[in-house]
Amino acid sequence: MSSVRTALFPGTFDPFTNGHLDLTRRAARLFDHVIVAVAPSPAKGTMFTVDERVEMIRESTRSMRRVEVLGFEGLVVNCARRVGAQVMVRGLRAVSDFEFEFQMALMNRRLSSALEIAFLMPSQQYVYLNATLVKEVARHGGRISGLVPRVVEKRLRERLASLGPAARAAAAPARGRLARPVRTPALRRRRAGA
């Protein structure tokens, strides 16, 4: 058995946020080798291909010697076995993440009793941050600097610009959209100063 402690940090990372980057840094302080494993997840309707996400994450983590980035398909426990990871790192932002992550951890433990799960909390400034929210803000022209690494921000803006307004709206997920105020008669009167 190797004395090198390898951790696998799997996810869709569409896009890779500063919260993901923070968790990667934390994991690199705890483990000898951290592998950020990028999943295809077609059910999520990703904006970037696995190769594009891998490239952006590699650029974002270039200064971290202990970090490697790769794409994978299939069960995460099989990926962990292939790369020799003893631990899988998962981020917990809030209590709302716990139930899903707990279920996934138990299933992964059932599939591979040798793989331990380590839950890490991001810095407080990233607790609210998730990739879906970043994409939604960017789709509506909001400021995303400070939420994602610069390379990701640039690529996300380019991708959205290449889609055009109609395609951006069509690419938006059905649930989780940012709320728009409903224009009720009372709201119209208030805005008109009545």
Side-chain angles (χ1 to χ4, degrees):
M1 182 162 188
S2 172
S3 62
V4 174
R5 298 292 293 169
T6 300
L8 185 73
F9 181 23
T12 306
F13 307 115
D14 187 55
F16 191 70
T17 68
N18 282 342
H20 295 133
L21 186 61
D22 180 63
L23 290 172
T24 304
R25 281 190 183 114
R26 289 172 185 282
R29 286 196 304 258
L30 297 171
F31 302 101
D32 302 311
H33 186 208
V34 176
I35 298 170
V36 179
V38 182
S41 198
K44 284 189 175 181
T46 56
M47 183 171 284
F48 296 100
T49 67
V50 169
D51 290 342
E52 289 171 322
R53 287 178 271 149
V54 165
E55 182 185 322
M56 287 186 281
I57 297 167
R58 280 184 180 148
E59 195 167 331
S60 300
T61 60
R62 190 179 341 163
S63 65
M64 296 182 221
R65 301 184 334 313
R66 298 173 182 233
V67 175
E68 178 184 351
V69 185
L70 54 81
F72 80 99
E73 287 191 46
L75 294 173
V76 71
V77 294
N78 292 340
C79 177
R81 238 180 250 123
R82 275 192 307 276
V83 299
Q86 302 87 9
V87 177
M88 179 174 23
V89 171
R90 297 297 296 163
L92 286 179
R93 294 172 299 218
V95 174
S96 57
D97 287 344
F98 181 77
E99 187 175 351
F100 172 78
E101 292 296 343
F102 185 66
Q103 288 173 341
M104 291 300 290
L106 291 176
M107 180 54 76
N108 285 321
R109 180 175 286 162
R110 183 178 187 285
L111 296 172
S112 174
S113 60
L115 186 65
E116 291 295 335
I117 314 297
F119 293 109
L120 299 180
M121 291 174 40
S123 295
Q124 188 174 353
Q125 70 198 59
Y126 302 122
V127 168
Y128 68 92
L129 188 57
N130 70 53
T132 302
L133 188 58
V134 167
K135 284 189 289 194
E136 198 65 12
V137 169
R139 274 188 188 99
H140 292 284
R143 204 173 129 253
I144 58 168
S145 60
L147 303 179
V148 293
R150 283 189 182 123
V151 63
V152 175
E153 180 180 3
K154 180 180 182 285
R155 295 284 295 275
L156 185 54
R157 294 265 181 231
E158 289 169 356
R159 178 62 46 93
L160 289 171
S162 74
L163 291 176
R168 275 198 303 274
R175 66 169 226 270
R177 290 189 176 187
L178 296 177
R180 291 185 180 165
V182 177
R183 304 246 186 246
T184 63
L187 181 60
R188 282 190 213 111
R189 281 194 299 275
R190 253 187 271 135
R191 288 196 174 173

